[in-house]
Amino acid sequence: MMQSKLAVQRVRHPIVVRTITVKAKEQLAQNYVRFYFTSPELAGFVSSSFDDHIKLFFPLSGKAVQKPQMTEQGLKFPDPANKPVARDYTPRAFDAERLVLEVDFVLHEDGPAGSWALQAEVGDQLVMAGPRGSMVIPEEYDWHLLIGDETALPAMTRRIAELPASKTVLAVLETDDPQLQHQLPVRDGLRTYYVQRQANQPLQLAQKVQQLVLPEGLGFAWAAAESAVAKAVRAELVEKGLENTQIRASSYWRQGDAGVHETLS
């Protein structure tokens, strides 16, 4: 049985709805944009885990931003017929003193979130809610393995920055834009591996994991990617002898489907 100090802890948060405003926008790669949001309503914002998710609500084209009310039945919007589209995003960083929240957008394809991100300017607003809970992975493991594609990059960079400098960290990033390879932090004890995405080889990330030589000791592996890829990565981790309690794998998106977020383990 896994020692209690190494058990993943579930933390619940009250759901708070906030209106946030674009303070700045930074293009980090052709399909990757970082937004800096601010608002006095961000006072008290809490994100306890590097892979937390907030919901951002994108208004329908030409419609005003709607702020819902939290009810016993969930979020209730003033104009249900024009209910905004919700998408999950990782809070990459939060400055509690300046009340600035960083959120990265991957522009996979045209859609309500991508269209908004391409056109958004300083002063534009969105409504956000959450996070409603956190899965806190202990830092006490001997080593940490982080695996993912562009959608996982915010969580990966946050985790690397938050782990003690004494910890061994392995990061495996798949991307089709070499610019994003420079987004992983540089620090002692970090081993980085990059996979250049090929359209005809969808499971390259899992193949790279198969080739890894894991460090000695007890480690934890975290992975997030397209659904089929995440499942294949998880299978490779099990083949390497990791127990279910040492793995957290998630589907952050699914080929041909929108708005998918699913925890696999």
Side-chain angles (χ1 to χ4, degrees), residues 77-151:
F77 287 86
D79 182 8
N82 293 305
K83 181 179 176 180
V85 177
R87 292 289 184 267
D88 288 330
Y89 284 88
T90 301
R92 200 195 80 87
F94 177 60
D95 186 326
E97 292 186 3
R98 296 172 57 235
L99 297 180
V100 174
L101 176 66
E102 296 180 25
V103 182
D104 290 356
F105 283 63
V106 180
L107 309 178
H108 270 305
E109 57 186 34
D110 191 27
S115 296
W116 181 89
L118 287 170
Q119 300 173 15
E121 299 177 350
V122 173
D124 287 352
Q125 293 185 322
L126 284 179
V127 168
M128 64 168 277
R132 65 180 180 179
S134 304
M135 297 295 287
V136 181
I137 300 170
E139 298 178 347
E140 285 79 5
Y141 282 93
D142 298 315
W143 50 267
H144 297 262
L145 172 58
L146 307 170
I147 308 159
D149 60 16
E150 295 95 331
T151 61

Side-chain angles (χ1 to χ4, degrees), residues 17 28 30 64 66 79 104 106 108 128 141 147 149 153 171 177 184 192 246 248 258 261:
V17 180
L28 300 178
Q30 184 176 358
Q66 292 191 62
D79 182 8
D104 290 356
V106 180
H108 270 305
M128 64 168 277
Y141 282 93
I147 308 159
D149 60 16
L153 187 55
D177 191 333
L184 288 178
T192 54
Q246 294 173 264
R248 178 167 169 79
H261 179 88

Side-chain angles (χ1 to χ4, degrees), residues 53 59 98 102 134 137 154-155 163 166 176 183 185 205 218 225 231 249:
H53 280 82
R98 296 172 57 235
E102 296 180 25
S134 304
I137 300 170
L163 282 171
S166 59
D176 56 7
Q183 296 305 316
L205 189 58
L218 193 65
K231 291 175 182 177

Side-chain angles (χ1 to χ4, degrees), residues 20-26 28 32-39 42 45 47 49-50 52-54 56 88-96 98-105 116 128 153-155 157-158 161-162 183 185:
I20 55 177
T21 303
V22 176
K23 179 181 178 67
K25 176 182 178 180
E26 184 179 9
L28 300 178
Y32 200 91
V33 181
R34 177 165 300 159
F35 280 88
Y36 300 83
F37 294 100
T38 189
S39 170
L42 284 169
F45 175 80
S47 174
S49 179
F50 69 97
D52 282 350
H53 280 82
I54 55 174
L56 295 180
D88 288 330
Y89 284 88
T90 301
R92 200 195 80 87
F94 177 60
D95 186 326
R98 296 172 57 235
L99 297 180
V100 174
L101 176 66
E102 296 180 25
V103 182
D104 290 356
F105 283 63
W116 181 89
M128 64 168 277
L153 187 55
T157 56
R158 176 175 167 180
E162 291 178 351
Q183 296 305 316

